[in-house]
């Protein structure tokens, strides 16, 4: 069952409205930023293993490309809706702007349940998506990437289908590809890495010793798994006390070994049942008494209903849209420092951008170069948002609103310079 009770696009628009007011945006600019510039809705007939054709609904939304080609992942999810994709494409617009990439924001989605599909069915679905949506993709137009339940193999099928359509290898049309097909080193853990860099910077500002922090992770997909490992690696310490995934969670106040949990998840498909840990629900994990909480799953897990019980000092949003606006207000009043999604998880799209650059040059960087450049991008972005918070102290902003002010201003300026508004 879906946990989403509010329309995510209404949330994205409400967040923008707040920023527009604080920035005194003129009406035309505000209204242009409230809606996607382009949307494509398609039906994908796919031959299933049982010989029958099943039709999947799919979307691609190009929210705003004033700063450059739209960029953003493709989600394969049974509860995908056009409004979720719209919200996520808006957040991608603010994400690329807040880290100052020369890109806009877009997002794609297919209503499907990949957990119930064979590899062959997934391949045919991925190729069908490109046959339909490929006509509006390209490194100068719109460049997809992996997201919830899509991965490097799916990107490989997609870039290959694009090759058959266009007759040439255009690796820069999609990112998050395998290394053998123009992928970038460091893309696999970039989302979590960028988030932990933000935590490092936040801890400095808050006067916390990051090395001794306790942390919990809700969601154990790509971002959650790497956050478990990288928190300790980058911060030089920290105690992981709980993790969860869609099937349940595990808790041990004495600490859990990240590598062993990842191995257990790979073997059994879930973190649940990990030896030596107590079982804990996703809901209870969120309200544990920890220094750091990483929501790393889906939207709307921190809501009006549980925000008052959140005890973490820092919430680092690796997922997109995990906190509702009502919860935001409560967390802010409680003095909890939220590193907002479109800043906290911008590491993924930043290395995706590095991948596009490497594809354009047809020359690849080493891992150290990627890490150094990612660190610089994230550190500068965090500092810019924090500066906005301090510059507008009298407005008593939270970090999300400060990040919105930075990002929206950049996109608005680009639109103005182009003569759109
Ligand atoms: N899907 C990721 C996100 O939400 C990455 C997007 C990209 O790399 O283009 O940021």
């Amino acid at each position: 069952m879906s946990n989403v009770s509010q329309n995510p696009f209404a949330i994205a628009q409400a967040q923008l409205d707040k920023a527009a007011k604080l920035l005194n945006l003129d009406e035309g600019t505000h209204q242009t930023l409230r809606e996607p510039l382009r949307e494509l809705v398609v039906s994908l007939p796919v031959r299933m293993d049982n010989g029958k054709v099943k039709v999947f609904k799919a979307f691609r939304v190009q929210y705003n490309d004033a700063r450059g080609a739209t960029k953003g992942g493709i989600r394969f999810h049974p509860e995908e809706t056009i409004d979720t994709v719209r919200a996520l494409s808006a957040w991608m617009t603010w994400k690329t702007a807040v880290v100052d990439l020369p890109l806009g924001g877009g997002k794609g989605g297919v209503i499907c349940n990949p957990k119930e599909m064979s590899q062959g069915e997934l391949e045919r679905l991925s190729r069908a998506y490109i046959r339909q949506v490929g006509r509006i993709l390209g490194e100068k137009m719109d460049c997809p990437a992996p997201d919830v339940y899509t991965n490097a193999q799916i990107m490989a099928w997609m870039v290959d289908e694009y090759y058959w359509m266009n007759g040439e290898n255009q690796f820069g049309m999609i990112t998050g590809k395998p290394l053998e097909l123009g992928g970038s080193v460091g893309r696999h853990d970039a989302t979590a890495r960028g988030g932990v860099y933000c935590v490092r910077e936040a801890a400095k500002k808050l006067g916390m010793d990051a090395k001794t922090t306790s942390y919990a992770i809700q969601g154990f997909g790509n971002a959650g798994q790497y956050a478990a490992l990288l928190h300790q690696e980058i911060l030089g310490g920290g105690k992981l006390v709980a993790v969860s995934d869609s099937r349940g969670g595990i808790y041990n106040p004495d600490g859990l070994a990240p590598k062993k949990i990842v191995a257990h998840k790979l073997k059994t498909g879930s973190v649940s049942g990990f030896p030596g840990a107590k079982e804990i629900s996703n809901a209870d994990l969120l309200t544990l008494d920890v220094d750091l909480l990483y929501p790393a799953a889906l939207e709307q897990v921190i809501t009006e209903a549980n925000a008052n019980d959140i005890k973490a000092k820092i919430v680092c949003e690796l997922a997109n849209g995990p906190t509702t606006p009502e919860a935001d207000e409560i967390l802010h009043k409680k003095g909890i420092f939220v590193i907002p999604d479109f800043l906290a998880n911008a590491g993924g799209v930043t290395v995706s951008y590095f991948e596009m650059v490497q594809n354009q040059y047809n020359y690849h960087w080493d891992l150290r170069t990627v890490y150094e450049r990612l660190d610089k991008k994230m550190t500068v972005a965090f500092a810019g948002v924090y500066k906005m918070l301090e510059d507008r102290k009298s407005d008593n902003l939270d970090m999300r609103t400060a990040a919105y002010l930075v990002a929206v201003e950049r996109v608005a300026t680009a639109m103005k310079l182009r003569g759109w508004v």
Side-chain angles (χ1 to χ4, degrees), residues 71-73 92 95 107 145-147 175 187 320 345 348-349 352:
K71 182 90 191 81
M92 282 310 305
K95 193 180 301 189
K107 203 83 177 193
D147 204 284
T175 60
R187 177 64 186 84
N320 288 311
N345 67 33
V349 73
S352 271

Side-chain angles (χ1 to χ4, degrees), residues 163-180:
Y163 155 83
W164 289 110
M165 284 167 75
N166 294 289
E168 47 182 66
N169 277 312
Q170 293 189 33
F171 288 140
M173 62 73 59
I174 202 161
T175 60
K177 302 179 295 292
L179 296 183
E180 295 80 358

Side-chain angles (χ1 to χ4, degrees), residues 11 40 47 96 105 117 119 138 148 150-152 167 174 176 212 217 258 326 334 341 355 370 374 398 421:
I11 291 181
L40 185 60
R47 176 92 45 203
T96 53
M117 294 170 70
Q119 283 296 100
V148 173
T150 51
N151 54 29
I174 202 161
T212 60
I217 300 177
E326 296 77 20
K334 281 169 65 93
D341 48 7
E355 184 174 329
V370 170
L374 174 62
D398 55 12
V421 287

Side-chain angles (χ1 to χ4, degrees), residues 1-321:
M1 232 192 77
S2 170
N3 59 302
V4 173
S5 56
Q6 292 187 42
N7 181 328
F9 188 47
I11 291 181
Q13 286 183 317
Q15 290 167 341
L16 170 74
D17 294 345
K18 190 170 164 189
K21 209 163 160 197
L22 284 158
L23 287 169
N24 280 323
L25 272 197
D26 64 87
E27 190 57 20
T29 306
H30 179 190
Q31 290 309 321
T32 309
L33 291 175
R34 271 190 118 241
E35 297 291 336
L37 286 175
R38 279 178 294 279
E39 302 183 341
L40 185 60
V41 179
V42 293
S43 300
L44 310 176
V46 175
R47 176 92 45 203
M48 305 304 276
D49 291 347
N50 65 7
K52 294 201 176 110
V53 169
K54 189 170 168 183
V55 181
F56 295 88
K57 264 257 158 322
F59 316 103
R60 185 72 190 170
V61 177
Q62 299 177 340
Y63 197 84
N64 190 293
D65 56 2
R67 288 172 46 85
T70 46
K71 182 90 191 81
I74 301 171
R75 308 204 318 171
F76 281 5
H77 200 273
E79 274 135 30
E80 196 62 281
T81 67
I82 182 72
D83 273 343
T84 316
V85 181
R86 284 179 180 136
L88 290 161
S89 69
W91 291 327
M92 282 310 305
T93 306
W94 316 134
K95 193 180 301 189
T96 53
V98 85
V99 280
D100 205 9
L101 305 178
L103 295 168
K107 203 83 177 193
V110 181
I111 306 173
C112 67
N113 190 350
K115 288 184 180 170
E116 288 169 2
M117 294 170 70
S118 70
Q119 283 296 100
E121 289 169 343
L122 275 175
E123 174 173 353
R124 293 191 291 280
L125 176 66
S126 304
R127 291 184 185 278
Y129 185 84
I130 293 302
R131 281 199 300 279
Q132 275 282 35
V133 178
R135 64 198 73 194
I136 61 163
L137 300 179
E139 64 178 27
K140 297 204 169 84
M141 278 197 284
D142 183 9
C143 176
D147 204 284
V148 173
Y149 297 149
T150 51
N151 54 29
Q153 174 62 71
I154 289 175
M155 301 305 111
W157 290 323
M158 289 183 167
V159 81
D160 182 68
E161 192 63 29
Y162 198 73
Y163 155 83
W164 289 110
M165 284 167 75
N166 294 289
E168 47 182 66
N169 277 312
Q170 293 189 33
F171 288 140
M173 62 73 59
I174 202 161
T175 60
K177 302 179 295 292
L179 296 183
E180 295 80 358
L181 293 178
S184 174
V185 289
R187 177 64 186 84
H188 59 294
D189 69 5
T191 306
R193 183 173 290 276
V196 178
Y197 287 148
C198 286
V199 167
R200 181 192 65 201
E201 296 308 302
K204 277 186 214 160
K205 296 286 181 201
L206 302 178
M208 268 168 79
D209 181 6
K211 282 198 286 296
T212 60
T213 44
S214 58
Y215 63 110
I217 300 177
Q218 190 250 347
F220 215 55
N222 172 288
Q225 289 179 29
Y226 282 113
L229 299 162
L230 291 174
H231 181 102
Q232 299 181 359
E233 192 182 307
I234 293 170
L235 305 178
K239 188 166 73 176
L240 175 63
V241 296
V243 299
S244 66
D245 58 30
S246 57
R247 294 199 215 157
I250 51 170
Y251 171 60
N252 186 345
D254 296 328
L256 297 158
K259 273 200 183 122
K260 288 190 183 153
I261 305 171
V262 173
H264 179 81
K265 165 109 184 169
L266 275 178
K267 211 168 90 191
T268 68
S270 173
V271 297
S272 191
F274 183 72
K278 270 198 339 211
E279 299 288 312
I280 186 174
S281 69
N282 264 279
D284 289 340
L285 178 142
L286 292 167
T287 57
L288 281 176
D289 191 1
V290 287
D291 298 309
L292 239 307
L293 175 65
Y294 291 95
L298 292 171
E299 306 92 70
Q300 296 180 35
V301 292
I302 304 178
T303 67
E304 217 170 353
N306 63 359
N308 263 313
D309 301 322
I310 305 278
K311 296 174 196 75
K313 297 182 186 73
I314 299 176
V315 175
C316 178
E317 297 182 334
L318 292 176
N320 288 311

